[in-house]
Amino acid sequence: MSTLVIGARGSVGRHVVDQLLAAGESVRASVRDLASADLPAEVSVVAADLTRPDTLKAALDGVRKVFLYAPVGGADAFVGAARDADLERIVLMSSGSVLLPYAAGNAIAEEHRSVERALDGSGLPWTPIRPLVLANNALNWAHSIRTDGIVRLVHPEAVMAPIHERDIAAVAVAALVGEAGKEAGALLTGSELLSQRRQVELIGAAIDKDLQIEELSESAARDRFGQFEKPYIVDAILEFIKAAANGGSPATGTVEQVLGRPAVPFSQWAREHAADFH
């Protein structure tokens, strides 16, 4: 019985692939470009694209379980193809923001809600995984850390509980192999609340470098983020950071409840990713 990993080259999806293989599972991975797959030899790789529904039928043929990371339009395409497949379980990587009352109307949260609604109304067997703040977000600081040792932050004292991508994958895999049920869909975070400032300090310790912080106003942050993201995404990100500054980004015990061990601390994530900041 094979498991299809959609988004296998992503930071979480690649860990899902590796952990499924370690568990003795047969894995198929879908990628847009076969030439750039770069996946273990034991993985069956197929070319598929959620924006091209015609590619999904072959990718799902013979598959019984799916790990899915999907954009809004891609979810609809996937549901249409999946209804014709004999699937036992779908694990959707969603977002913890859908569980936060204050995030109603937030553009990023609403995109994830729409994907969940597509799955919820499909009649397909599915379980969401809902990480809130990914430790990998700190990679957005890597360029400025490498070039001038400065991290430019809006609300540097905003507190959140970033979660290692490997822990997200582990919860997803537990759901895929039937070792976790509805509890896997609870708000998924790291176990320790850390300010953005403290996260920068831990990265500095991991690379043995004294890092400086330059505080940005919301207006300056909007201009800076706007160089890389669409305005509505920038607004959504700033809403989350402002909420975190006001205590709206909690830490939960979901990782330990599902996996029976504590979440990987951010300090370990920083050490594992030290090369990204050098």
Side-chain angles (χ1 to χ4, degrees):
M1 180 168 61
S2 189
T3 300
L4 174 65
V5 179
I6 298 177
R9 296 180 66 240
S11 61
V12 175
R14 180 53 194 267
H15 281 288
V16 171
V17 168
D18 291 343
Q19 292 180 29
L20 284 170
L21 290 175
E25 297 283 313
S26 173
V27 180
R28 178 182 298 173
S30 72
V31 297
R32 291 184 179 183
D33 179 9
L34 290 175
S36 63
D38 190 27
L39 291 164
E42 57 267 48
V43 175
S44 170
V45 183
V46 295
D49 187 337
L50 287 168
T51 66
R52 295 173 52 208
D54 57 300
T55 66
L56 296 176
K57 183 176 180 180
L60 288 166
D61 184 38
V63 165
R64 293 295 175 266
K65 296 179 286 188
V66 177
F67 172 78
L68 173 66
Y69 180 69
V72 178
D76 293 334
F78 172 80
V79 166
R83 284 190 174 125
D84 296 328
D86 185 20
L87 297 179
E88 296 178 1
R89 191 172 296 124
I90 299 163
V91 173
L92 169 73
M93 182 167 160
S94 182
S95 167
S97 62
V98 305
L99 300 175
L100 301 176
Y102 70 76
N106 179 282
I108 294 174
E110 292 304 324
E111 285 188 353
H112 286 285
R113 285 193 179 98
S114 70
V115 172
E116 289 202 10
R117 283 194 295 268
L119 270 293
D120 205 33
S122 69
L124 296 166
W126 72 288
T127 299
I129 301 299
R130 296 175 171 134
L132 186 55
V133 178
L134 277 65
N136 255 13
N137 290 351
L139 293 176
N140 292 323
W141 306 331
H143 178 72
S144 65
I145 287 175
R146 289 194 301 266
T147 55
D148 55 21
I150 298 174
V151 181
R152 295 165 180 88
L153 298 173
V154 59
H155 300 302
E157 308 308 330
V159 172
M160 53 200 74
I163 180 169
H164 196 303
E165 60 272 16
R166 190 167 63 245
D167 279 346
I168 300 170
V171 172
V173 168
L176 283 166
V177 301
E179 294 177 355
K182 290 183 178 180
E183 69 274 14
L187 188 65
L188 186 58
T189 76
S191 59
E192 52 184 350
L193 286 166
L194 300 169
S195 68
Q196 292 191 96
R197 186 183 300 278
R198 180 58 180 155
Q199 292 173 49
V200 171
E201 290 173 352
L202 290 170
I203 292 170
I207 63 175
D208 194 24
K209 188 174 183 178
D210 185 18
L211 302 178
Q212 305 301 310
I213 289 174
E214 179 181 309
E215 185 168 358
L216 300 175
S217 67
E218 288 193 12
S219 176
R222 183 172 283 104
D223 290 342
R224 185 175 182 82
F225 295 163
Q227 300 175 45
F228 313 103
E229 294 286 0
K230 296 177 180 178
Y232 79 94
I233 295 293
V234 172
D235 288 342
I237 292 170
L238 289 174
E239 287 172 14
F240 283 132
I241 296 175
K242 189 172 183 178
N246 293 319
S249 190
T252 70
T254 303
V255 169
E256 188 155 14
Q257 181 182 2
V258 173
L259 303 179
R261 61 161 176 80
V264 175
F266 185 83
S267 57
Q268 182 173 334
W269 178 92
R271 290 192 296 272
E272 292 177 10
H273 289 79
D276 294 311
F277 297 97
H278 274 299

